[in-house]
Amino acid sequence: MGLILPKESLPEYLLEISKSLPVYAPVESEGVVKFGMYSWGDKLEFDYETTTMPPKFLFLPHGERLLEFRGDRMEESAADGRFVVFMNIIDAQALSILDEAFAGKFKDNYYFRRRESSIVAAIQNNVRMKNSFCDELDQKNRERFDLLLIDRGDCYLLEAKTQKGAALLKSGFVSKAAKKEKPKSKRKSKKLNIQKISSFLDKGPEQGMWHALADECFACGICAYVCPICHCFDVEDTVTLGASGSRCRNWDSCMLADFAAVAGGGNFRSRRHERIHNWYHHKFSRAVSERGRPDCVGCGRCITFCPAKIRIHDRIRECEEAK
Ligand code: SF4
Ligand code: SF4
């Protein structure tokens, strides 16, 4: 027996939570769904098909001042992340992969301060994200979130996964479910063969496919910016003559021409086909050998927002079939 929250109570429920913590949620305005801070009267869209920006920006801001210094005194940014965010389960899976990436050899404290002080609520529904192929990947079972909301038609079945999630089970809004319902049968789909994809990618960037893609791609980097898992950043120090300054990090993309540029005029990946190959290779080979799974949940954003209409899904199927 679980707890249920009627969908009609959702606005009041979020309003109640927002009295103690800021609440971020997918909100629709003029036909566009975005993650934003919830205010009473906002049109919630928990069944979103996509958002241009995934919720990663809440944990890894587009631009962030990491520290400031003056003389021999240094002050680090607080990286405060006390908030609640509601997102669909595919975006929550992506966030779990981001956790693994930032927990690596050098733990990223700025990211984890926000992650550990925030509360993530994942929405499980039957909405298929635009251009998604998530059911062809196996990214379940390693998700890390605090509360699960399972769509049951006119209500959500709530399951707290952590103590932080249990704190969101507000009495007055939730009630006991009448009976345990069986989950609906899952869609069947042909899973991607990650091992085959990875073996082809390991052959390097000189395969014809990467040169052909380079002729189509604008090298704009949008695929990386909209991806809920891509996390490349650039760190910039600004120093004044008065011995003070700051260190900032800003989103970057390995698809951009100067991403691998170094002092002295060198560039490790100056050619477009090398950068495209690197993006795919990182996601479907390097991430798999480092963390045991691809850096992709199949959310489809990189397909939906690519101005050259390049479809990552078709390309990785090509890698799978290549000899
Ligand atoms: S969004 Fe499309 S065109 Fe732009 S870099 Fe990515 S693949 Fe190339
Ligand atoms: S690579 Fe594309 S499909 Fe995969 S998670 Fe990133 S945006 Fe989504």
Side-chain angles (χ1 to χ4, degrees), residues 119-263:
I119 304 177
V120 173
I123 307 149
Q124 186 177 301
N125 55 25
N126 288 319
V127 176
R128 195 182 164 86
M129 286 185 81
K130 199 172 171 189
N131 289 311
S132 106
F133 51 96
C134 45
D135 37 0
E136 295 173 41
L137 286 157
D138 250 331
Q139 297 287 25
K140 297 187 191 80
N141 307 322
R142 280 167 71 179
E143 298 143 342
R144 277 186 293 270
F145 48 80
D146 303 293
L147 180 69
L148 179 63
L149 290 83
I150 306 168
D151 193 326
R152 288 282 185 263
D154 58 358
C155 64
Y156 290 106
L157 186 64
L158 305 183
E159 284 179 13
K161 301 289 182 187
T162 65
Q163 283 195 339
K164 288 194 291 182
L168 294 185
L169 300 174
K170 304 270 180 194
S171 54
F173 292 95
V174 298
S175 54
K176 283 193 177 146
K179 60 180 179 356
K180 193 162 185 166
E181 291 177 53
K182 273 204 222 155
K184 288 197 177 129
S185 60
K186 294 186 184 105
R187 264 190 301 263
K188 296 247 181 327
S189 53
K190 184 177 172 248
K191 298 279 182 219
L192 286 156
N193 186 327
I194 303 298
Q195 206 181 347
K196 276 191 179 171
I197 295 167
S198 161
S199 305
F200 178 73
L201 286 161
D202 289 346
K203 290 183 178 172
E206 294 311 326
Q207 306 295 313
M209 174 178 167
W210 310 113
H211 286 274
L213 251 182
D215 289 339
E216 294 174 40
C217 171
F218 303 146
C220 63
I222 288 174
C223 45
Y225 291 131
V226 300
C227 176
I229 303 166
C230 279
H231 50 275
C232 290
F233 56 80
D234 186 30
V235 175
E236 189 182 13
D237 287 350
T238 309
V239 184
T240 68
L241 288 176
S244 64
S246 60
R247 170 166 294 176
C248 297
R249 75 166 159 193
N250 302 301
W251 284 10
D252 203 345
S253 165
C254 61
M255 286 290 212
L256 299 178
D258 60 358
F259 180 79
V262 291

Side-chain angles (χ1 to χ4, degrees), residues 133 227-229 279 283 296-302 312:
F133 51 96
C227 176
I229 303 166
W279 193 67
K283 287 189 171 294
C296 175
V297 287
C299 74
R301 285 185 178 91
C302 60
I312 185 175

Side-chain angles (χ1 to χ4, degrees), residues 288-320:
V288 179
S289 37
E290 285 175 7
R291 296 189 293 280
R293 56 172 169 169
D295 265 8
C296 175
V297 287
C299 74
R301 285 185 178 91
C302 60
I303 300 173
T304 304
F305 299 105
C306 172
K309 304 202 182 318
I310 291 169
R311 301 181 63 84
I312 185 175
H313 175 247
D314 299 352
R315 303 311 173 151
I316 51 177
R317 280 285 182 204
E318 260 179 67
C319 295
E320 188 184 29

